[in-house]
Amino acid sequence: MVLPAYPAAPFPTERTAIVTGAASPRGIGRATAHRLAQQGWAVAVVDLDREASEKVALEIQEQHGGAALGVGADISDRASVDAAVAQIAQSLPQIVGLVNNAGISSPTPFLEVTDEEWRRVIDVNLNGTFYITQAAVKIMAEHKIGRIVNISSASAERGGGVYGRAAYSSSKAALLGMARTLARELGQYGITANSVAPGSIDTDIMGGRLSDERKAFLLQELPVGRIGTVDDVANVIEFLLREESGYLTGVTYDVNGGSHIA
C-alpha cells in the first residue's frame, strides 16, 4: 500500500536517532551521537563492540541527561541488524533519524584487491548500510517522517585518496547513489535522505597515520588552513537531521575544508 503524498507527519518532540559505528573514541559517529543528544535526540549507539557502545550511551546520559542505548550489532548480518532495530524500537522513542556512519577502510590498490578484501569492505560499507536502512525505513514510513544521512567520503568523489582506494572508494560512492535513490523513492513517506562526504578529518583512523610531514602536505590543499575535526562533520549531520531541513533531500555536503577547489 502506498501512503498518501506530502505533507509529512509532524516532527515528534521525543525522537530517536540511530548512529552506526559510534563507539570509536575519536570517531565521527561518537561525536555525532553526542551532538544529537545535545539537541534533544534520544540516541541509539550501534557498534560491533557492544561494551563500547554501552559505554558511549552511558557517557551521553551522564553528560546530556537524555535517553541513550548502546547496542552491539554486526551490520553486515541482516539478522543482527533486525534484532538491533527491534531492540531500539522497543526501548527508545520513535525512530526518526538514521546516520549510516559505520564503515571500514581499505588501502589496497585495485590490481591487488582480492575477492575476499572486496567482499569484506562491501559487506560492511554497502550491504550493512542497506540492511539497517531498510529495517529503520519500515518504521519511518509507518510514521510518515524520517531523516537519513549516509556518511560517504571525499574518496568517493575523487576516485580514491590517502587512505581509501578501490574497494573503499567504490563502496562510499555507492552510498551517494543509494541516498539519491532513497530521496526519490521515500519522499512520499515524509523521509529525506542526504549524504555527507568528509575530507581530511582528524580521527583515530587518520590520526594514527598522520605524520607531521603528511600533515604539512595535506594543509597545502586546504584553503581553511587546518585539518578537519569530528565536530565539523557532526554539526553538518545534525543540521541535516533537523525538522527545518525537510526541504533538503538527495544532496551531498562536502566537509573538506575546500580541498576540491584548491
Side-chain angles (χ1 to χ4, degrees), residues 8 57 91 110 121 165 178 189-190 193 199 218:
S91 305
F110 180 75
V121 176
R165 296 198 181 182
M178 180 188 290
Y189 302 104
L218 289 175

Side-chain angles (χ1 to χ4, degrees), residues 170-252:
S170 297
S171 68
K172 289 296 187 177
L175 295 187
L176 299 177
M178 180 188 290
R180 291 170 187 143
T181 300
L182 296 174
R184 187 179 295 275
E185 293 191 15
L186 301 180
Q188 64 182 312
Y189 302 104
I191 300 169
T192 65
N194 296 293
S195 300
V196 173
S200 299
I201 306 297
D202 185 14
T203 63
D204 285 330
I205 292 175
M206 182 174 175
R209 307 175 188 178
L210 197 58
S211 65
D212 290 341
E213 211 173 43
R214 186 62 195 165
K215 184 175 181 179
F217 175 79
L218 289 175
L219 288 175
Q220 294 176 14
E221 292 188 335
L222 299 175
V224 299
R226 65 175 176 85
I227 301 296
T229 69
V230 290
D231 288 327
D232 289 324
V233 185
N235 291 339
V236 176
I237 296 169
E238 185 270 323
F239 162 72
L240 289 171
L241 265 64
R242 291 179 189 174
E243 177 181 7
E244 297 84 354
S245 300
Y247 202 60
L248 289 170
T249 197
V251 301
T252 300

